Amino acid sequence: MVRSPYFTADHATFRERTREFLAAEVMPSAAAWDQEGRLPRSLWKSLGEQGLLGLLHPRGAGGGERDLFTSVVFLEELGRTGFGGLRAAISVHAYMATHYLALAGGPGLQRDYLAPAVAGERVAALAITEPGTGADLSGLTTTAERDGDHFVVRGVKTMVSNGTAADFHVVAVRTSPDTGTGPYGTTGLSLLVIDSGLPGLTTTPTPTLGWRAAGTATVAYEDVRVPADRVIGRVDAGFYYLMRGLQLERLVAAVLALGGMDRCLDDTRRCLTERRLSGGTPAERQAPAHRIADLATELAAARQLVHHTAWLYEQGDLPATECSMAKLHTTELACRMADAGLHLQGAQGYLDSSDAARTYRDARAATLAAGPSEVMRDLIGRAVLRSGPDSPAARGGAREGA
Ligand SMILES: Cc1cc2nc3c(=O)[nH]c(=O)nc-3n(C[C@H](O)[C@H](O)[C@H](O)COP(=O)(O)OP(=O)(O)OC[C@H]3O[C@@H](n4cnc5c(N)ncnc54)[C@H](O)[C@@H]3O)c2cc1C
């Protein structure tokens, strides 16, 4: 039975199918991939064959053009695997890097990059962050200088998820020194598709605390010559596209966090009910039971916020404030949930090899990636204060522009 206004019987069937696929194709090897810091090519291929890398993408590029709640189902189930690196790698590929190709890429880019990415034949990364700046896009310094029918790219990008595996990168570059605001917001930025095999591009793996299967890397571009037709959309309009893409990125992060918390809560519940203390199980003591009660209640509330935000997004306006609220609340709650999960499992949870330890490490990444919590609070605070107490923003129904 479907017990939500947002999901239909078709979504329920899709959830079952996705869960079976992940149980068969992912769960047996996910821990090994996390340790190795990479996902195998065969996984990308089978995700592509199942249509799971292009649920939102246009049919012309092999995508499914499915409704957003089909993606919500997929991402919740991906989150429920409990493997943060796996879910980061797949979501960066399917909902972040390739989103820009679907949003503004011309027919040539959709044929040569989006379609193979949807099929799982080419892996995509998104390279925005630099050693000197992350949250503040106006500070980006990687340049792309026009030289005939090419751009010459110079600069360094860090924290690139899928960086070690990617066949191509969607890269935020400065095409004009102008950082003032214009018709596209902060002007001077463009999005460029860069093949990872081009001369002058070097990739250095950068091991991280969590999200290990995502193969994070630092990528240096030293006079990399990129054909000029690899610009996504319009030159100097990159900031405008990023502001749109970041809303989806934050919503996706929130949905993944929901699934991750379902898994974390379930693991903790199992441990509390199975472990024997003198005089019963920990679940029979009031302190752990109350802690679980608080977390489960917060998770239930978070789920409503995220699903409502997805519904607003589906209506066609960009619910920017809600995307920030959903990302802020779920990723911070996931950290508290992971902390409680580790603690309530006792020393077993603290073992480096435990699921609780991996969940704890992975949860920390999500409050930083796609914009740190402080930036989410800045955006929400500005929207609420600008609009006043009776505003849509304060009631959770804002329609913030990009
Ligand atoms: C695991 C992981 C994967 C990532 N994957 C990618 C990826 O695939 N591609 C990519 O381009 N980037 C990626 N990132 C980078 C991520 O987007 C940045 O970490 C994020 O935007 C913050 O940028 P920064 O790390 O440079 O921090 P900075 O912008 O230097 O900020 C440092 C700290 O200052 C504080 N701060 C920043 N801004 C404000 C503010 N306005 N008000 C108050 N305090 C503030 C925050 O505490 C913040 O953590 C990833 C990050 C992580 C952790």
Side-chain angles (χ1 to χ4, degrees), residues 41-327:
R41 284 280 158 171
S42 56
L43 176 68
W44 291 107
K45 199 78 189 70
S46 54
L47 285 162
E49 281 162 8
Q50 294 294 316
L52 295 173
L53 298 176
L55 292 170
L56 283 184
H57 290 327
R59 287 208 183 90
E65 280 185 35
R66 304 283 291 268
D67 71 316
L68 183 59
F69 279 92
T70 302
S71 284
V72 170
V73 169
F74 171 56
L75 293 164
E76 283 181 351
E77 292 306 315
L78 198 58
R80 276 202 186 107
T81 62
F83 288 89
L86 173 97
R87 64 187 188 227
I90 294 170
S91 61
V92 163
H93 173 96
Y95 292 92
M96 298 172 199
T98 53
H99 174 66
Y100 296 102
L101 289 166
L103 180 72
L109 290 182
Q110 295 210 352
R111 182 193 59 230
D112 296 343
Y113 293 93
L114 183 57
V118 167
E121 287 158 3
R122 303 188 82 184
V123 177
L126 179 64
I128 302 172
T129 306
E130 298 179 357
T133 188
D136 177 15
L137 295 179
S138 67
L140 295 180
T141 58
T142 296
T143 55
E145 204 178 304
R146 188 75 190 238
D147 180 22
D149 53 4
H150 282 72
F151 282 101
V152 180
V153 179
R154 300 182 185 98
V156 178
K157 298 289 182 182
T158 54
M159 299 304 298
V160 181
S161 304
N162 286 343
T164 56
D167 298 296
F168 67 89
H169 308 158
V170 171
V171 188
V173 292
R174 182 159 296 292
T175 33
S176 148
D178 179 9
T179 56
T181 49
Y184 300 113
T186 297
T187 57
L189 294 181
S190 302
L191 295 179
L192 211 52
V193 182
I194 304 185
D195 286 298
S196 57
L198 285 181
L201 188 154
T202 43
T203 301
T204 309
T206 37
T208 46
L209 179 67
W211 285 16
R212 292 179 181 168
T216 304
T218 294
V219 183
Y221 308 88
E222 290 174 62
D223 295 335
V224 178
R225 291 184 68 78
V226 181
D229 63 5
R230 305 285 158 82
V231 175
I232 298 179
R234 300 175 65 146
V235 174
D236 284 354
F239 183 78
Y240 171 78
Y241 302 133
L242 285 168
M243 285 304 99
R244 298 189 73 81
L246 279 170
Q247 310 316 323
L248 180 64
E249 195 170 322
R250 287 167 188 159
L251 178 57
V252 164
V255 179
L256 290 169
L258 286 183
M261 286 189 278
D262 282 337
R263 173 63 190 262
C264 179
L265 200 58
D266 197 42
D267 285 350
T268 310
R269 181 195 56 73
R270 195 169 334 103
C271 181
L272 290 174
T273 51
E274 286 174 3
R275 186 154 180 86
R276 306 299 303 179
L277 304 174
S278 57
T281 66
E284 293 164 58
R285 308 284 169 93
Q286 192 181 59
H290 280 190
R291 199 151 177 204
I292 291 294
D294 287 343
L295 290 168
T297 304
E298 282 196 75
L299 174 55
R303 196 181 309 280
Q304 295 312 312
L305 170 64
V306 175
H307 287 172
H308 176 64
T309 303
W311 180 82
L312 287 173
Y313 192 100
E314 184 87 314
Q315 305 312 300
D317 288 336
L318 267 187
T321 305
E322 286 84 354
C323 287
S324 296
M325 287 174 170
K327 198 260 180 187

Side-chain angles (χ1 to χ4, degrees), residues 302-357:
R303 196 181 309 280
Q304 295 312 312
L305 170 64
V306 175
H307 287 172
H308 176 64
T309 303
W311 180 82
L312 287 173
Y313 192 100
E314 184 87 314
Q315 305 312 300
D317 288 336
L318 267 187
T321 305
E322 286 84 354
C323 287
S324 296
M325 287 174 170
K327 198 260 180 187
L328 171 69
H329 185 57
T330 53
T331 57
E332 293 204 339
L333 180 58
C335 287
R336 295 203 298 281
M337 184 92 78
D339 183 60
L342 190 147
H343 181 80
L344 291 171
Q345 292 184 36
Q348 289 299 312
Y350 194 68
L351 294 178
D352 191 49
S353 57
S354 76
D355 286 349

Side-chain angles (χ1 to χ4, degrees), residues 9-26:
D10 283 350
H11 291 128
T13 307
F14 176 73
R15 190 184 293 280
E16 275 314 303
R17 248 190 44 221
T18 304
R19 202 172 278 187
E20 281 166 20
F21 170 80
L22 293 170
E25 303 284 328
V26 168

